[in-house]
Amino acid sequence: MIMHLHKYEKIWLIFGIGSLIVFLVVLGYGAFWQGTHPQSHGVTIDPNNIESNEAFKPENLGLTKVSDDKYIVNIAASAFFYDFGKDEEGKTVNHIRIPKGSTVLFQVATKDVVHGFHVAGTNVNMMVEPGYVSSLETVMDKPGTYTVVCNEYCGLGHHLMYATVEVYE
Amino acid sequence: MALAKKLDPTKVTQSLPISKPESRLYMSFISVAFISLLIGGLMGLLQTLVRSGKFTLPFGIDYYQVLTVHGVILGLVLTTFFIVGFHLAAMGKTVGISEQQLRVAWIGFWMMFFGTAMAATTILLGEASVLYTFYAPLRAHPVFYIGLALVIVGSWIVGFVNWHQLAVWKKAHPGKKSPLLAFMVTINTLMWFIASLGVAVAVLVQFIPWSLGYAETINVLLSRTLFWYFGHPLVYFWLLPAYMAWYVMIPKIIGGKIFSDSLARMSFVLFLFFSIPVGFHHQLTEPGIDPTWKFIQVTLTMMVVIPSLMTAFSLFATFEITGRRKGAKGLFGWFKKLPWKDVRFLAPFIGMLAFIPGGIGGIINASHQMNSLIHNTIWVTGHFHLTVATTVMLTFFGISYWLIPHLRGRKLTPQINRLGIIQAIIWTVGMTIMSGAMHIAGLLGAPRRSSYSEYAGGDQVTEWIGYQMAQAIGGTILFIGIILMVYIFIKLTFFAPKGEEEFPIAEEEEDAEPTPAWFENWKMWIGITIVLILAAYTIPVIDIIQHSPLGSKPFDFPIGR
């Protein structure tokens, strides 16, 4: 040792650093082998015209059933509103229903400033930044009604930006 | 080590007298900090009241305007002014300051002061409700950014003075190791300078031209990356002065010695290495950064666990050794020998305890996947109210109880000491309630930085609002603590009886191992720091720039401009 360390301190540090290594290995295993990385796709989009991307054309917004238990939800975020498209009667959608156990791909893009997209109480939690598509696929297996909140400050109406997702049995 | 050069172990004076003009400078910094505490604390109170749902702001004041004041004045102004003042006092005490250095430091003070006034004016006029992170493409008034730049550049000027102070001392004391406090201040100012270069580049190159209309668009992700390159070391810039007090002052206050000079230096060097190349852990849920690089920075982030463990060990070793010397028996007898009735010890000690849950919360926040559950929820707010608003603030209060009377030629009386103890207890109770409620609500998904809202209603939201009520109770108790602290500040500054209060600097053990000479190798420390930063940032930043989407034009309407 080039620096004197007390015996107990060595034990303490070996134990501490050992735990740290185990912890990082667990995180790394989860991220690289089980694919539990936080969302990071680097998919870009024209921030001035998000409709140039197929997913964010008005008719493709909201919930789309892809197959039996697979869904895609496309959302256009803008101050201070999540656009989930319109229903058959032409009314604005701000509540979607998904059967329990479905695999859901959430795709969000912003038309103006930075927003957040959090299905509160779950790990569907993404920053939504101009120029990028935020996306995360998850299995919704716990029934209940979840509040979708904008959790990144986007201006004076930030707290009025929300929707709900219902997972039903 | 046998072959390596050892530093001359002869004792050098570590305690110089502080002159009146010096004291005036240091007190100016500290006074701005306490005024900020009062204003920022009031804003905090208003926020918790609004979020309870039972109170609306008068005179058309907006919640986010209040929130911007709270973040800027407490996170940037109070902390920076107090720390720069404390750094100067520590350097003045250990290595001395020349008249010329004093003059230059005053320039730094006035730059910081006017910068603060400029930023504050734009916020009060409702032209800068962008919060202290000022994320693009929300655009504040250009004067807001210019004001912030002045605060940072002013703090650099004082930092350069600090480096010059040590250089002059070293020239006069060849071959001697620098005083521990001076070494620590130099590490902290180095870290601050290297880190704030990032935000300075963002503000000067990106924000100011764009807010003035010279640049049409801004690269949002790059600006956020530069901000968080600065934003995480910022929290260590707050924390390290508290560590200085724990390592150097607390042992003296409890009647003990420094556990190990080299260990203290080593932990500061490790903080310098591992506080900067880690900003991505604030950006884990962002779409445009490669996940592998996020993970690399997560790993680097976790390295700060090592100096934290070293610090915890040293502190409790000092407590135990000191207690046993005072005749403590048994496994935990030393615990009773600690000066519980001395606020100079009690307030920072509570701060140390708060750092245990604070640190654990921090590990959770930076944990790649676990972050997804709590990112931007009010859990995060609860976290930094434990770390900065409890650990750091209670230690700063602990410092103030001796530093202010020392600078003002007054005494900390038993009566003020008692008030201080009450203050520390009020703070602990208020923060336990507020931060506890924030942590729980955050786990349930409640967002941070949001005014009162019932959203679409339902059980989830009702539950959040219950915890917001608890936050308002905690916030009210904390505001009482702030009023008491400001009263104590005024009392110590103007009314406490004349006398001498000690500037506590602990000494090493008589038979302490000499500190290795390589600790003074600043080129090596700076070199390793830069290598780590380049390793962590070069490739992902090139990637961000090469694959960047079109830039963003400014948006004024969302903040009511």
Side-chain angles (χ1 to χ4, degrees):
Chain A
M1 280 303 283
I2 42 172
M3 210 179 81
H4 172 77
L5 282 181
H6 190 280
K7 190 179 94 191
Y8 288 154
E9 174 152 37
K10 276 183 204 159
I11 298 171
W12 166 253
L13 283 180
I14 289 168
F15 174 75
I17 296 169
S19 313
L20 182 62
I21 292 168
V22 172
F23 177 67
L24 286 171
V25 167
V26 171
L27 289 190
Y29 178 77
F32 294 98
W33 280 271
Q34 298 192 310
T36 60
H37 278 302
Q39 70 125 356
S40 291
H41 307 280
V43 177
T44 54
I45 190 170
D46 181 349
N48 305 314
N49 180 21
I50 63 170
E51 291 176 21
S52 61
N53 182 313
E54 197 64 28
F56 299 100
K57 287 198 189 312
E59 63 272 23
N60 293 334
L61 293 177
L63 183 69
T64 309
K65 188 169 180 173
V66 185
S67 65
D68 248 359
D69 52 356
K70 263 191 123 88
Y71 292 82
I72 290 181
V73 188
N74 296 328
I75 303 116
S78 62
F80 310 102
F81 175 65
Y82 288 123
D83 193 348
F84 280 76
K86 297 211 185 326
D87 62 14
E88 291 91 39
E89 292 155 29
K91 278 204 289 197
T92 310
V93 176
N94 63 357
H95 177 79
I96 56 169
R97 300 182 78 236
I98 298 168
K100 182 189 152 193
S102 313
T103 304
V104 186
L105 172 66
F106 290 94
Q107 300 190 112
V108 197
T110 169
K111 292 177 177 175
D112 44 40
V113 296
V114 176
H115 296 282
F117 183 88
H118 189 193
V119 182
T122 76
N123 54 9
V124 180
N125 192 353
M126 306 185 279
M127 298 295 300
V128 183
E129 292 171 18
Y132 292 94
V133 176
S134 293
S135 64
L136 200 126
E137 192 175 67
T138 191
V139 179
M140 304 293 280
D141 50 12
K142 231 173 109 189
T145 302
Y146 299 88
T147 308
V148 176
V149 287
C150 174
N151 65 4
E152 184 55 86
Y153 175 65
C154 58
L156 304 187
H158 165 55
H159 53 292
L160 304 173
M161 189 164 169
Y162 61 86
T164 41
V165 173
E166 185 186 339
V167 178
Y168 64 93
E169 302 241 26
Chain B
M1 188 59 221
L3 290 173
K5 191 176 72 154
K6 297 233 167 121
L7 289 163
D8 181 355
T10 49
K11 295 261 178 316
V12 285
T13 38
Q14 283 222 344
S15 205
L16 303 164
I18 287 181
S19 68
K20 271 256 161 67
E22 272 181 71
S23 149
R24 210 168 298 135
L25 173 69
Y26 310 157
M27 279 306 294
S28 302
F29 277 104
I30 293 168
S31 304
V32 174
F34 275 94
I35 295 165
S36 304
L37 176 69
L38 185 63
I39 301 169
L42 177 64
M43 298 301 126
L45 173 70
L46 293 176
Q47 283 158 244
T48 60
L49 293 179
V50 169
R51 287 176 61 106
S52 75
K54 305 279 179 217
F55 174 82
T56 38
L57 289 167
F59 317 120
I61 301 170
D62 185 75
Y63 177 84
Y64 298 102
Q65 201 175 355
V66 169
L67 179 54
T68 305
V69 175
H70 181 75
V72 170
I73 211 160
L74 295 182
L76 295 176
V77 179
L78 179 155
T79 48
T80 312
F81 273 85
F82 189 90
I83 292 165
V84 171
F86 174 66
H87 279 171
L88 275 167
M91 295 301 276
K93 199 70 197 166
T94 54
V95 295
I97 187 165
S98 72
E99 264 179 50
Q100 198 200 353
Q101 288 164 341
L102 205 58
R103 268 198 300 277
V104 179
W106 271 112
I107 297 174
F109 173 82
W110 287 114
M111 278 182 85
M112 289 172 67
F113 187 84
F114 282 116
T116 303
M118 287 165 74
T121 309
T122 57
I123 300 169
L124 294 177
L125 292 174
E127 292 287 315
S129 296
V130 289
L131 313 191
Y132 97 100
T133 43
F134 55 89
Y135 290 142
L138 288 175
R139 176 170 65 174
H141 194 282
V143 171
F144 173 78
Y145 304 113
I146 296 168
L148 291 185
L150 279 177
V151 173
I152 289 171
V153 176
S155 72
W156 287 352
I157 290 178
V158 185
F160 299 153
V161 169
N162 292 149
W163 298 347
H164 192 243
Q165 285 173 278
L166 182 62
V168 169
W169 184 92
K170 282 183 78 75
K171 214 171 226 172
H173 301 81
K176 293 222 167 63
K177 71 173 176 191
S178 49
L180 182 55
L181 254 186
F183 180 91
M184 290 168 154
V185 169
T186 308
I187 293 271
N188 205 26
T189 42
L190 261 176
M191 182 180 79
W192 175 246
F193 178 70
I194 297 172
S196 51
L197 275 175
V199 75
V201 167
V203 167
L204 296 175
V205 178
Q206 293 194 287
F207 281 93
I208 292 176
W210 171 77
S211 68
L212 287 167
Y214 296 128
E216 246 178 75
T217 62
I218 190 166
N219 184 331
V220 172
L221 182 56
L222 185 63
S223 74
R224 298 172 63 86
T225 303
L226 286 168
F227 183 86
W228 285 114
Y229 163 88
F230 153 82
H232 196 72
L234 170 69
V235 309
Y236 286 110
F237 176 69
W238 300 334
L239 185 65
L240 288 191
Y243 272 40
M244 294 177 205
W246 297 356
Y247 270 114
V248 181
M249 283 112 186
I250 294 293
K252 177 77 172 182
I253 288 168
I254 66 168
K257 301 267 167 108
I258 289 174
F259 175 70
S260 164
D261 179 272
S262 337
L263 194 73
R265 286 175 204 247
M266 195 50 173
S267 80
F268 268 65
V269 167
L270 291 176
F271 274 116
L272 174 66
F273 290 168
F274 294 112
S275 56
I276 308 172
V278 300
F280 282 173
H281 76 242
H282 289 258
Q283 301 179 279
L284 289 172
T285 68
E286 296 196 22
I289 301 169
D290 185 84
T292 303
W293 285 100
K294 287 179 180 172
F295 189 82
I296 289 169
Q297 292 207 9
V298 162
T299 307
L300 288 166
T301 305
M302 295 298 172
M303 293 302 128
V304 296
V305 167
I306 299 168
S308 305
L309 290 175
M310 286 163 64
T311 305
F313 187 94
S314 305
L315 295 174
F316 281 84
T318 306
F319 295 158
E320 183 179 349
I321 293 167
T322 311
R324 289 197 190 281
R325 278 196 190 140
K326 288 183 180 168
K329 297 271 183 307
L331 199 53
F332 293 108
W334 51 270
F335 201 70
K336 285 191 216 126
K337 296 280 180 190
L338 292 169
W340 298 108
K341 289 182 177 153
D342 185 343
V343 71
R344 299 173 307 157
F345 167 76
L346 182 71
F349 184 83
I350 298 171
M352 292 175 200
L353 289 189
F355 207 52
I356 299 170
I360 294 171
I363 292 174
I364 293 171
N365 299 345
S367 290
H368 209 60
Q369 302 93 333
M370 272 193 274
N371 174 269
S372 299
L373 188 63
I374 51 80
H375 178 77
N376 272 354
T377 68
I378 200 154
W379 157 285
V380 178
T381 318
H383 162 72
F384 63 72
H385 278 82
L386 277 184
T387 51
V388 65
T390 309
T391 301
V392 172
M393 279 324 294
L394 279 180
T395 304
F396 286 3
F397 294 164
I399 291 169
S400 304
Y401 292 118
W402 52 262
L403 182 58
I404 294 170
H406 179 84
L407 294 176
R408 296 284 300 163
R410 297 180 190 277
K411 290 287 292 176
L412 170 64
T413 61
Q415 184 225 356
I416 302 175
N417 183 66
R418 201 161 49 241
L419 279 181
I421 288 173
I422 296 169
Q423 201 282 337
I425 293 167
I426 291 176
W427 201 268
T428 311
V429 172
M431 199 57 91
T432 307
I433 297 172
M434 190 181 83
S435 171
M438 286 174 163
H439 275 92
I440 300 169
L443 284 179
L444 298 170
R448 68 184 283 203
R449 302 181 138 183
S450 299
S451 184
Y452 179 76
S453 175
E454 290 170 12
Y455 300 101
D459 295 346
Q460 205 175 22
V461 177
T462 311
E463 220 173 354
W464 296 347
I465 293 170
Y467 287 105
Q468 279 159 216
M469 193 57 94
Q471 289 158 28
I473 293 166
T476 308
I477 296 171
L478 280 165
F479 189 66
I480 295 168
I482 285 177
I483 292 179
L484 184 53
M485 194 62 221
V486 172
Y487 172 77
I488 292 170
F489 165 74
I490 294 169
K491 196 108 178 148
L492 285 173
T493 309
F494 301 107
F495 302 109
K498 298 261 177 206
E500 259 185 52
E501 187 66 42
E502 178 195 28
F503 190 117
I505 298 178
E507 288 181 357
E508 288 180 67
E509 297 284 356
E510 293 298 329
D511 56 349
E513 293 264 331
T515 302
W518 44 260
F519 272 112
E520 301 289 326
N521 192 344
W522 292 101
K523 279 182 194 142
M524 177 166 76
W525 302 142
I526 297 168
I528 296 173
T529 306
I530 291 172
V531 167
L532 282 168
I533 292 169
L534 291 178
Y537 271 110
T538 311
I539 297 174
V541 166
I542 289 174
D543 187 55
I544 287 169
I545 293 169
Q546 279 183 341
H547 296 102
S548 62
L550 292 174
S552 281
K553 55 185 182 12
F555 286 87
D556 294 328
F557 80 87
I559 60 163
R561 287 185 70 204

Short mmCIF file of all heavy atoms in Angstrom, two decimals, chain B residues 194-215:
data_model
loop_
_atom_site.label_atom_id
_atom_site.label_comp_id
_atom_site.label_asym_id
_atom_site.label_seq_id
_atom_site.Cartn_x
_atom_site.Cartn_y
_atom_site.Cartn_z
N ILE B 194 -14.06 23.29 -13.68
CA ILE B 194 -14.12 22.34 -14.80
C ILE B 194 -15.58 22.05 -15.16
O ILE B 194 -15.96 21.99 -16.32
CB ILE B 194 -13.36 21.04 -14.47
CG1 ILE B 194 -11.88 21.34 -14.25
CG2 ILE B 194 -13.53 20.01 -15.59
CD1 ILE B 194 -11.07 20.16 -13.73
N ALA B 195 -16.41 21.90 -14.12
CA ALA B 195 -17.81 21.55 -14.36
C ALA B 195 -18.59 22.72 -14.94
O ALA B 195 -19.35 22.56 -15.89
CB ALA B 195 -18.46 21.09 -13.06
N SER B 196 -18.37 23.92 -14.39
CA SER B 196 -19.22 25.03 -14.85
C SER B 196 -18.81 25.53 -16.23
O SER B 196 -19.55 26.28 -16.85
CB SER B 196 -19.26 26.16 -13.81
OG SER B 196 -17.98 26.52 -13.42
N LEU B 197 -17.63 25.09 -16.72
CA LEU B 197 -17.30 25.38 -18.12
C LEU B 197 -18.41 24.88 -19.04
O LEU B 197 -18.75 25.53 -20.02
CB LEU B 197 -15.99 24.66 -18.50
CG LEU B 197 -14.67 25.35 -18.18
CD1 LEU B 197 -13.52 24.43 -18.53
CD2 LEU B 197 -14.56 26.66 -18.94
N GLY B 198 -18.98 23.72 -18.70
CA GLY B 198 -20.03 23.13 -19.53
C GLY B 198 -21.23 24.04 -19.64
O GLY B 198 -21.69 24.37 -20.74
N VAL B 199 -21.73 24.48 -18.50
CA VAL B 199 -22.94 25.31 -18.53
C VAL B 199 -22.60 26.69 -19.10
O VAL B 199 -23.42 27.33 -19.76
CB VAL B 199 -23.62 25.39 -17.15
CG1 VAL B 199 -22.88 26.29 -16.20
CG2 VAL B 199 -25.06 25.82 -17.28
N ALA B 200 -21.36 27.14 -18.88
CA ALA B 200 -20.95 28.43 -19.43
C ALA B 200 -20.97 28.38 -20.95
O ALA B 200 -21.45 29.30 -21.62
CB ALA B 200 -19.57 28.82 -18.91
N VAL B 201 -20.47 27.26 -21.52
CA VAL B 201 -20.50 27.10 -22.97
C VAL B 201 -21.96 27.09 -23.45
O VAL B 201 -22.32 27.78 -24.41
CB VAL B 201 -19.77 25.80 -23.40
CG1 VAL B 201 -20.08 25.47 -24.86
CG2 VAL B 201 -18.27 25.95 -23.19
N ALA B 202 -22.81 26.33 -22.75
CA ALA B 202 -24.22 26.28 -23.15
C ALA B 202 -24.83 27.68 -23.14
O ALA B 202 -25.52 28.08 -24.08
CB ALA B 202 -25.00 25.34 -22.24
N VAL B 203 -24.59 28.43 -22.07
CA VAL B 203 -25.21 29.74 -21.93
C VAL B 203 -24.63 30.73 -22.95
O VAL B 203 -25.38 31.44 -23.63
CB VAL B 203 -25.05 30.26 -20.48
CG1 VAL B 203 -25.41 31.74 -20.39
CG2 VAL B 203 -25.94 29.46 -19.54
N LEU B 204 -23.30 30.77 -23.06
CA LEU B 204 -22.68 31.78 -23.92
C LEU B 204 -22.82 31.45 -25.41
O LEU B 204 -23.09 32.34 -26.22
CB LEU B 204 -21.20 31.94 -23.57
CG LEU B 204 -20.91 32.48 -22.16
CD1 LEU B 204 -19.43 32.49 -21.87
CD2 LEU B 204 -21.50 33.88 -22.00
N VAL B 205 -22.64 30.17 -25.76
CA VAL B 205 -22.63 29.81 -27.18
C VAL B 205 -24.03 29.48 -27.68
O VAL B 205 -24.39 29.82 -28.80
CB VAL B 205 -21.67 28.62 -27.42
CG1 VAL B 205 -21.70 28.20 -28.88
CG2 VAL B 205 -20.26 28.98 -26.99
N GLN B 206 -24.82 28.81 -26.83
CA GLN B 206 -26.15 28.39 -27.31
C GLN B 206 -27.27 29.35 -26.90
O GLN B 206 -27.97 29.88 -27.73
CB GLN B 206 -26.47 26.99 -26.77
CG GLN B 206 -25.58 25.88 -27.33
CD GLN B 206 -26.18 24.52 -27.02
OE1 GLN B 206 -26.15 24.07 -25.88
NE2 GLN B 206 -26.75 23.88 -28.02
N PHE B 207 -27.43 29.57 -25.58
CA PHE B 207 -28.64 30.26 -25.11
C PHE B 207 -28.66 31.75 -25.43
O PHE B 207 -29.67 32.28 -25.87
CB PHE B 207 -28.83 30.05 -23.61
CG PHE B 207 -29.43 28.72 -23.27
CD1 PHE B 207 -28.63 27.63 -22.98
CD2 PHE B 207 -30.80 28.55 -23.27
CE1 PHE B 207 -29.19 26.40 -22.69
CE2 PHE B 207 -31.38 27.33 -22.97
CZ PHE B 207 -30.56 26.25 -22.67
N ILE B 208 -27.55 32.47 -25.17
CA ILE B 208 -27.60 33.92 -25.32
C ILE B 208 -27.82 34.32 -26.78
O ILE B 208 -28.76 35.08 -27.06
CB ILE B 208 -26.37 34.59 -24.65
CG1 ILE B 208 -26.47 34.42 -23.13
CG2 ILE B 208 -26.29 36.08 -25.01
CD1 ILE B 208 -25.30 34.94 -22.33
N PRO B 209 -27.04 33.80 -27.74
CA PRO B 209 -27.30 34.17 -29.14
C PRO B 209 -28.72 33.78 -29.59
O PRO B 209 -29.38 34.55 -30.31
CB PRO B 209 -26.27 33.36 -29.94
CG PRO B 209 -25.25 32.93 -28.95
CD PRO B 209 -25.88 32.90 -27.61
N TRP B 210 -29.20 32.64 -29.13
CA TRP B 210 -30.52 32.15 -29.54
C TRP B 210 -31.63 32.99 -28.91
O TRP B 210 -32.64 33.31 -29.54
CB TRP B 210 -30.58 30.68 -29.12
CG TRP B 210 -31.88 29.97 -29.23
CD1 TRP B 210 -32.45 29.49 -30.36
CD2 TRP B 210 -32.72 29.58 -28.14
NE1 TRP B 210 -33.61 28.83 -30.05
CE2 TRP B 210 -33.81 28.87 -28.70
CE3 TRP B 210 -32.68 29.76 -26.76
CZ2 TRP B 210 -34.83 28.34 -27.91
CZ3 TRP B 210 -33.69 29.24 -25.99
CH2 TRP B 210 -34.76 28.55 -26.56
N SER B 211 -31.43 33.38 -27.63
CA SER B 211 -32.49 34.17 -26.98
C SER B 211 -32.53 35.58 -27.55
O SER B 211 -33.56 36.24 -27.51
CB SER B 211 -32.27 34.20 -25.46
OG SER B 211 -31.11 34.93 -25.15
N LEU B 212 -31.39 36.06 -28.07
CA LEU B 212 -31.36 37.39 -28.67
C LEU B 212 -31.84 37.37 -30.11
O LEU B 212 -32.04 38.42 -30.72
CB LEU B 212 -29.94 37.96 -28.62
CG LEU B 212 -29.43 38.39 -27.23
CD1 LEU B 212 -27.93 38.62 -27.26
CD2 LEU B 212 -30.16 39.64 -26.76
N GLY B 213 -31.99 36.18 -30.67
CA GLY B 213 -32.47 36.07 -32.04
C GLY B 213 -31.36 35.98 -33.08
O GLY B 213 -31.62 35.95 -34.28
N TYR B 214 -30.08 35.95 -32.64
CA TYR B 214 -28.98 35.82 -33.62
C TYR B 214 -28.90 34.41 -34.17
O TYR B 214 -28.51 34.22 -35.31
CB TYR B 214 -27.64 36.22 -32.98
CG TYR B 214 -27.59 37.66 -32.57
CD1 TYR B 214 -27.20 38.03 -31.29
CD2 TYR B 214 -27.93 38.66 -33.48
CE1 TYR B 214 -27.18 39.36 -30.90
CE2 TYR B 214 -27.91 40.00 -33.11
CZ TYR B 214 -27.53 40.34 -31.81
OH TYR B 214 -27.51 41.64 -31.44
N ALA B 215 -29.22 33.44 -33.34
CA ALA B 215 -29.26 32.07 -33.82
C ALA B 215 -30.72 31.66 -33.89
O ALA B 215 -31.48 31.93 -32.96
CB ALA B 215 -28.50 31.14 -32.88
#
